[in-house]
Amino acid sequence: MDAKQKLTPGALYGLLGYRLRLAQQAVFRDFAVSVPGLSPGRVGLLIFIDANPGVTQSRLAEAVERDRSTMVGVLDQLEARSLIKRRRGEDRRTNGLWLTRAGCTLLARALRGIARHEKRIAARLSAAERRQLLELLGRISG
Amino acid sequence: MDAKQKLTPGALYGLLGYRLRLAQQAVFRDFAVSVPGLSPGRVGLLIFIDANPGVTQSRLAEAVERDRSTMVGVLDQLEARSLIKRRRGEDRRTNGLWLTRAGCTLLARALRGIARHEKRIAARLSAAERRQLLELLGRISG
DNA sequence: TATTGTTATACTCTATAACTATA
DNA sequence: TATAGTTATAGAGTATAACAATA
């Protein structure tokens, strides 16, 4: 053993915030493997559009708590990949959003990947422990 | 109630990864209020330098799992704020890192802020629940 | 006037590749 | 040759401010 400490000191290791960050990073890495080609945020957008066909860009931005200007580029990318389409709304200031056929297909595949992912990260928890973890996380989130 | 779903659908809400992300975001927001002027990552660096005075940039980068090129700019900022100092090592390729007086002072203040922060985010958990949450998070992190 | 989508711009955090000075 | 620090560059992801079209 070295005189120097190897990783972050015990000071951090006892903190909920730090441990939450470590867990989230581990989960994120597994997600990237299980759901190639889509980040968690992107999947969230596809799910939301799928559940709310024709939703406007501003409503979507509001739903995921981002500025509407932020959505423009993100949606440009999804549209460039032919996963979504924009269509001008009855209120002609708005764009309605829909999944394309390819978007539906990719979302379905992503959801299967997420199911595998979820199973893998919960592998070391019993069903009761998984429930309790969700409960405690909910308490933290306020 | 609208026909459209308000936020992300139940599909996501049952997922550990999603709930972890929500909890982490809530904690992050509270951290920013409790520990003004330093992000969680920056505090981690100061703690590590404090615990390992004279550590080189590369060892620090390795400890926090970042590329050494990433550290350069970050350390430039901390140095520009006079929180750390670099000193050329015996091996003259290296820079040793130390906290300055101001860095020590700010770190001490940050640690007090983190203590308040930790107390606040754990406020809705019993001691046993807090322990269990740490345990379950450890299991998730692998 | 107010709202929607857009653009221009900028900031944070991160990485890779190539350079320099040392070893 | 190999390593430490640096630079140039790039790419996510995010925001604010201002603008045109539309309401």
Side-chain angles (χ1 to χ4, degrees):
Chain A
M1 218 15 192
D2 198 313
K4 314 255 171 168
Q5 299 181 42
K6 191 72 183 302
L7 277 165
T8 30
L12 283 185
Y13 201 70
L15 297 173
L16 280 170
Y18 182 68
R19 298 288 289 279
L20 224 29
R21 184 150 66 119
L22 290 184
Q24 224 240 312
Q25 282 168 0
V27 167
F28 195 90
R29 280 192 297 274
D30 187 273
F31 188 100
V33 174
S34 304
V35 191
L38 286 174
S39 68
R42 297 298 201 268
V43 175
L45 295 181
L46 296 186
I47 290 176
F48 192 85
I49 294 171
D50 184 51
N52 301 275
V55 65
T56 66
Q57 297 188 189
S58 285
R59 272 201 78 236
L60 178 59
E62 199 184 334
V64 299
E65 298 179 286
R66 297 290 168 259
D67 193 88
R68 69 187 197 278
S69 72
T70 298
M71 295 311 300
V72 176
V74 173
L75 295 173
D76 283 351
Q77 290 176 352
L78 293 176
E79 198 175 34
R81 292 172 66 185
S82 300
L83 301 178
I84 63 164
K85 57 175 181 284
R86 289 162 157 125
R87 215 169 57 205
R88 181 165 248 208
E90 200 175 308
D91 175 343
R92 286 169 45 242
R93 292 172 303 186
T94 66
N95 284 338
L97 301 170
W98 284 265
L99 296 190
T100 61
R101 183 62 66 92
C104 284
T105 303
L106 186 57
L107 176 56
R109 191 183 324 156
L111 291 177
R112 289 193 298 274
I114 288 175
R116 287 192 304 274
H117 160 70
E118 184 73 10
K119 200 177 285 182
R120 202 158 46 231
I121 65 177
R124 298 190 197 172
L125 306 179
S126 71
E129 286 169 337
R130 184 178 176 284
R131 263 197 311 280
Q132 171 146 44
L133 178 52
L134 287 177
E135 213 279 303
L136 295 175
L137 289 175
R139 219 94 68 71
I140 292 283
S141 304
Chain B
M1 220 12 191
D2 197 313
K4 315 253 172 172
Q5 299 182 41
K6 191 69 182 303
L7 278 166
T8 30
L12 283 185
Y13 201 69
L15 297 174
L16 281 170
Y18 183 68
R19 297 288 288 280
L20 224 30
R21 185 150 66 119
L22 291 184
Q24 223 240 313
Q25 282 169 1
V27 167
F28 195 91
R29 279 192 297 275
D30 187 272
F31 188 101
V33 174
S34 304
V35 190
L38 285 175
S39 67
R42 296 299 200 268
V43 175
L45 295 181
L46 296 186
I47 289 175
F48 193 85
I49 294 171
D50 184 50
N52 300 276
V55 66
T56 65
Q57 298 187 188
S58 285
R59 273 202 78 238
L60 178 59
E62 198 184 334
V64 299
E65 297 178 285
R66 296 290 168 260
D67 192 87
R68 69 188 197 276
S69 73
T70 298
M71 296 310 302
V72 176
V74 173
L75 295 174
D76 283 350
Q77 290 176 351
L78 293 176
E79 197 176 34
R81 292 172 65 185
S82 300
L83 301 177
I84 64 164
K85 57 173 180 288
R86 289 162 156 125
R87 215 169 57 205
R88 182 167 246 208
E90 200 175 307
D91 175 344
R92 285 170 43 242
R93 293 171 303 186
T94 67
N95 284 338
L97 302 170
W98 283 265
L99 296 189
T100 61
R101 182 63 66 90
C104 284
T105 302
L106 185 58
L107 175 55
R109 191 184 322 157
L111 292 176
R112 289 194 298 274
I114 288 175
R116 287 192 303 274
H117 160 70
E118 184 73 10
K119 199 177 286 181
R120 201 156 50 229
I121 64 177
R124 298 190 197 171
L125 306 179
S126 71
E129 286 169 336
R130 184 177 177 285
R131 263 197 310 279
Q132 172 144 43
L133 178 52
L134 287 176
E135 214 280 303
L136 295 174
L137 289 175
R139 219 94 68 72
I140 293 285
S141 304

